Amino acid sequence: MATIAQPYAGTYPRPSRWEVIWEWITTVDHKKIAKLYLVTSFVFFILAGIEALIIRLQLARPDERLISAETYNELFTMHGTMMIFLVVMPLGVAFFNLLVPLQIGARDVAFPRLNALSYWIYLFGGILLTSSWLFEAAPNDGWFAYANLTEKTFTPGHNLDFYYVGLQILGISSLIGAINFFVTILNMRAPGMRIMRMPPFTWMVMVTSVLLFTALPVLAVDLILLMFDRAYATNFFNPAKGGEPILWQHLFWLFGHPEVYIMILPAFGIISEILPTFARKPLFGYPVVVLSGAAIGVMGWGVWAHHMFTVGLGAAANSAFATTTMLIAVPTGIKIFNWIATLWGGDLQMKTPLYFALGFIAMFIIGGLSGVTHGIVPADYEQHMTYYIVAHFHYVLFGGALFALFGGIYYWYPKLFGRMLDETIGKWHFWLMLIGFNLTFGPFHMLGLDGMPRRIYTYAANNGWGFWNMVSTIGAFTIALSILVFFWNVYVTSRKPADAPADPWDGRSLEWTIPSPPPEYNFARIPVVHARDPLWHQKLLRRYGRATGNDPLAQEPADEHIHMPPRSFYPIITALGLPLMGYGFIYQQDHKAFWALFAAGIIVLFLGAFGWATEPTE
Amino acid sequence: MIARIRRLRYLLASIPFLLIVLLASGCIGNSNPQDSLSPAGAAAADSKRLFYPAFWIAVAIFFLTEGALVAAVWRFRHRGAPSDQLPKQVHGNTRLEVAWTIAPALLLAGLAVPTIATIFHLRPSSEGNPLNVTVIGHQWWWEFRYPDLGVVTANELHIPTHRRVNLLLQSEDVIHIFYVPRLAGGMDNVPGRNNTMWIEADKEGEYQGQCTQFCGASHAFMRFKVFADSPQNFDAWAQHQKEGPVNPATLPDQGNQVTYTYNGKPGTPAGGLKVFSNNACIGCHTITGVSNGMVGPNLTHFGERTSLAGASLTNTPDNVAKWIHNPQAVKPEAKMPNLHLSDEEIANLVAYLESLK
C-alpha cells in the first residue's frame, strides 16, 4: 500500500493518477469490480447500439443501398453477439458483484482474485471480439452461426475465427464467475440466513450460476468442434464427408435456451426486489416466486429444439418440444401474477426504479405471450426466421432484461455511488425509452406475420414493408435519445455531493443497513438474520414495540481485526494470457510465426497463475 | 394541473391499446405478397387456423394482465403527503397460487391438443395423386425438379391448383429455408438431409417466397415465385418444359434480326447462341439440345420466365444485360463469374436468352 504524505496539517494531497489506476487494476473488491463491469458494459452497449442504428438506417426504406450486404451481415451478427455476451450478461454480473455479498451479509465473495479475473477476461475477450471490426473480419454468420455456412469453404477469412475464439474466452469469464457466486452464496451467508430467507435477487443468482456452469461447457464443446472444422479440416459439420450440420444447432441451443434464462433470471430477481420496496409490502408468494425461478432453470433444459421446429426432426419430436415449451410458460406466468399481487394493496411510491419495474412487467407480458404463440408449432412454421421472432426476443430481452437492469441501476445507484440519480430526468429517460422501444419493436410483429424474413439487408418495395420499417427506425433513434438522457442524468448526478443516506428507499434487505457507499469491509459487524427481509423485519419489530435485546443488524460495536483480501496484480496478468493466445491462434493459420504469440500467451497465463498461487495472502 | 396530468396519463395508457388496433389493422385491406395471414392454400390455412385462436387468447390475457397492472398502479399509487402508514403486509395466498397455476396449465393443454394434431396433419402423405417436386437450394437460387415429369427449372415453381404438391427439400451447399407464406410455413433445406413438406394452392395466382435461413452474402436476394396454374395450363406448361427451346435457326429470319441493343451494340438470337456456346456459359447452364451444365440454373425456357437472378430482378432485356455484365454488382458474391464479356457479346446473349421460349 502506498503511503500518502501529509505536507500540511489537515490537508491530504490527492492520490496521483497512477495510484488511482493502480488501485483499479489490482482491485479485488467486489464493489469496485461491479463498477468496472457497469462501465465496460455501457461502452459495449453504445457500440452495439450504434450497430443497431446503422441496421435501422439500412432497412428504413426498400432497396436501400446505404451499406453493402457484407457489412450488414457483420452488423447484425455483432449487434446480437455483443448485446448478449458483452452487455446483458455482464450488466447482470455487475449486479451479482454489487449485491450478493451485501445481501447475504458477507464482506466479499468467496474468491476475490478469481472475481477480478472474471472481469479482466471479460474485458480482454470483449476487446478481442470487437477488434474484429478493425481487422475487417467481424463475425458475419449471425450470432448463432449455423453450420455448415460457418465452414471455411463458405465463410473464408477470420470472421468466424474471431467468433469462436472470442466466445470461448468470454465463456471462461462467465464460468469462473458462476462458480465464484455459487460458492459464495452457499458458504458465506450470515448466520441465520437460510436459503428461504435469502433476498429474491440472490436466489436468482444462485439458479443462474448453476445454469451458467452447466450450459457454458456445451457451448465450449460446440465452439471447439467448429474450431477443428475450420482450422484442422475435420468434418463434424460437413455433410459431404459424413458430418451433420444439425449437430451444431442441437449443441448450440442446448446452451442457448438456458442462456436466455441466464439473461432473464437476474432481471426477475431485480424486479422482485424493487416491487416490494416501492409497494411497502412483502413480495407476494416469495416461496412460489423463488421456486418457480428454480423450476424455470430446470425446465429450460427441456425446450431447446423449439428453435429447430423447421429442421425436420419429425412430428413426434416437434410435438414433444411444443409441449415442454408451453409448460415452461406456467412458472413464468406465475411470477407475473405474483408481482402484480405484490403491487395490489400496496402504497406505491412512484419513483424511477418502480417505473422501470412496471415497464418491465408490461413489456415482458407481451414478449412472453408472443413466445407462447411460437410454441404453437404449425404457426411457428410461418413465424420462424421472420421478424415476428425478432419482436419476441427484443420484447423479453430489452423490454424485459434491460428495463429491469435500468431499474436496478436507479435503485442501487446510491448504494454504489453515494448519490441519487435525478428523479425528473429519470422519468424522461423512462418514457422516451418506453415509447421508443415500442415504436421500434412493436412493428416487428406485423412485419413478421407479413412474411419479412430476418437477416436480409434489403427488401423489395412491392412487399409493402416500407411503412413499418420506417416507423421502427424512428423508434430506434428515440431509444438512442433516451440513452443520451440517461447519460445526462449520470453526468448531472456526478456533480452532486455524495451524501446519499444508507437507506434512501426505506428498504428491506441487508445492503441498506450499511453506508452509501459501503466501507471496503461492508459490514463492521456481521449481522445475524432472524427472518426474510431482515431489515424490514427489524423495522416492523421496532414499529410495533417488539424489538427485544440487541439489534442483530447493528453495525456497532465494530468487529476488531477485520481482514480484507489484499489487492493483487495477478488477475489482470493471468487474464492477459488469453487474448494473446487468442490472436496467436487466429493468425497462426496465416503465418506460423504467430504460434510465438500463442506461446507467449501461455507463458503469461502460467506466470500469472504461478504468481497468484505463490503471492502472500496477507 | 392534476387534471392535465390525469389526461396525459389516460393518453399514454391508451398507447398499448392503439398498438393493438394498428396491429389488427394489418389484417384488413389488400394482402401483401408474403402475408402469412392471407392463406391461399390448405397448409397456410392450417397454420392460420391455429394461430388465430392462440393470438386472440393472448390478446385477452394481455388485456387482463396489463389491465390488472394499470389498475393496481392507478388504485394504489401513493397520493398526498408522505405518510407513515403501512399497507397490509400480505405474504401470499395459497389458493390463488394454485388457481393461477392450474388455469394457465389447462389453457395451454387445451392449445397443445390441436397443435399436435396439426403437426401430424402437415406431414406429407402419398395418398391421393400428389405431384412430386424436388426443391434444391443453392447459394443463391432455387432449383426445381419434377422427377415424375422429367422437368427441371429454376426460381419459378409452377404447380396445378387443387392438387397436393409434395416437396422434397435438399441443398447443394448450406442450410436454406423454402418459405412461401401464403401457401405454407417454411421448412429447412439441409445439405445431407431429405426434408419433406406439402403445399396446395386453392386458386390460380402468383405467390412470392424467399429463403429465410441466413445463407451468406446474397441471402436477401434468394427469392422465388410459385405460379399456381389451372390443371390444364399446368399440364401444358409441363409438356412444354420437356421440349427443347426455340432454335434460332428455325426462326423466320434464321435468328438474325436485331432484337436487342446494348450500349449501342446490336444483338441477335443467332449471334447469342454462338456467344453462349463459345464461352464458359455451357459449363454451368443447361439448355436442352445446346449444353449440359449442372452448376447454375437451367435456362431452357428462360425467355418465358418473369424474373431472374434468384427472382430478384424482373426479366427484362436490360436487367438480363445488367446481370451478365456484372453479377456481383447485382448479388454480392454471386457464384456466376463475371466473364468480362464485351458489350456486343452481351447484346447477343440477351437477344438469345430472351428468345428461349
Side-chain angles (χ1 to χ4, degrees), chain A residues 55-134:
Chain A
I55 291 173
R56 282 313 326 156
L57 283 173
Q58 167 64 16
L59 291 178
R61 295 183 307 185
D63 289 315
E64 183 64 74
R65 294 287 186 272
L66 186 69
I67 52 173
S68 69
E70 286 89 342
T71 303
Y72 183 86
N73 297 339
E74 290 176 317
L75 280 170
F76 76 72
T77 302
M78 288 299 278
H79 168 75
T81 309
M82 288 174 68
M83 281 297 187
I84 290 173
F85 293 102
L86 303 182
V87 180
V88 176
M89 287 173 80
L91 269 176
V93 175
F95 285 100
F96 294 14
N97 262 289
L98 172 62
L99 291 175
V100 170
L102 297 186
Q103 287 196 333
I104 64 174
R107 294 207 163 107
D108 208 310
V109 297
F111 305 113
R113 286 177 297 178
L114 211 61
N115 199 14
L117 180 69
S118 284
Y119 169 74
W120 293 112
I121 296 180
Y122 155 59
L123 177 68
F124 294 145
I127 290 176
L128 182 145
L129 185 64
T130 315
S131 75
S132 62
W133 279 115
L134 299 173

Side-chain angles (χ1 to χ4, degrees), chain A residues 282-300:
Chain A
L283 178 65
F284 193 93
Y286 167 97
V288 175
V289 173
V290 299
L291 290 174
S292 63
I296 288 172
V298 172
M299 290 165 78

Side-chain angles (χ1 to χ4, degrees), chain A residues 26-49:
Chain A
T26 59
T27 185
V28 297
D29 177 353
H30 69 100
K31 301 179 288 299
K32 281 219 170 59
I33 294 174
K35 286 183 187 169
L36 287 171
Y37 269 104
L38 202 57
V39 171
T40 309
S41 309
F42 266 96
V43 172
F44 286 122
F45 181 60
I46 294 172
L47 292 175

Side-chain angles (χ1 to χ4, degrees), chain A residues 480-557:
Chain A
L481 181 62
S482 78
I483 302 299
L484 289 176
V485 169
F486 170 70
F487 287 137
W488 176 249
N489 200 346
V490 171
Y491 171 71
V492 156
T493 304
S494 72
R495 316 274 295 168
K496 297 195 292 208
D499 58 3
D503 183 17
W505 308 113
D506 199 13
R508 319 171 65 84
S509 38
L510 291 177
E511 72 266 31
W512 307 109
T513 63
I514 54 180
S516 302
E520 192 198 341
Y521 47 81
N522 298 344
F523 298 91
R525 261 173 81 81
I526 300 295
V528 178
V529 171
H530 292 297
R532 212 176 279 159
D533 290 335
L535 176 59
W536 194 251
H537 180 75
Q538 273 307 114
K539 289 176 182 174
L540 289 182
L541 284 180
R542 266 183 246 127
R543 187 187 174 93
Y544 296 115
R546 304 251 206 88
T548 54
N550 295 325
D551 178 359
L553 307 181
Q555 292 297 295
E556 278 154 19

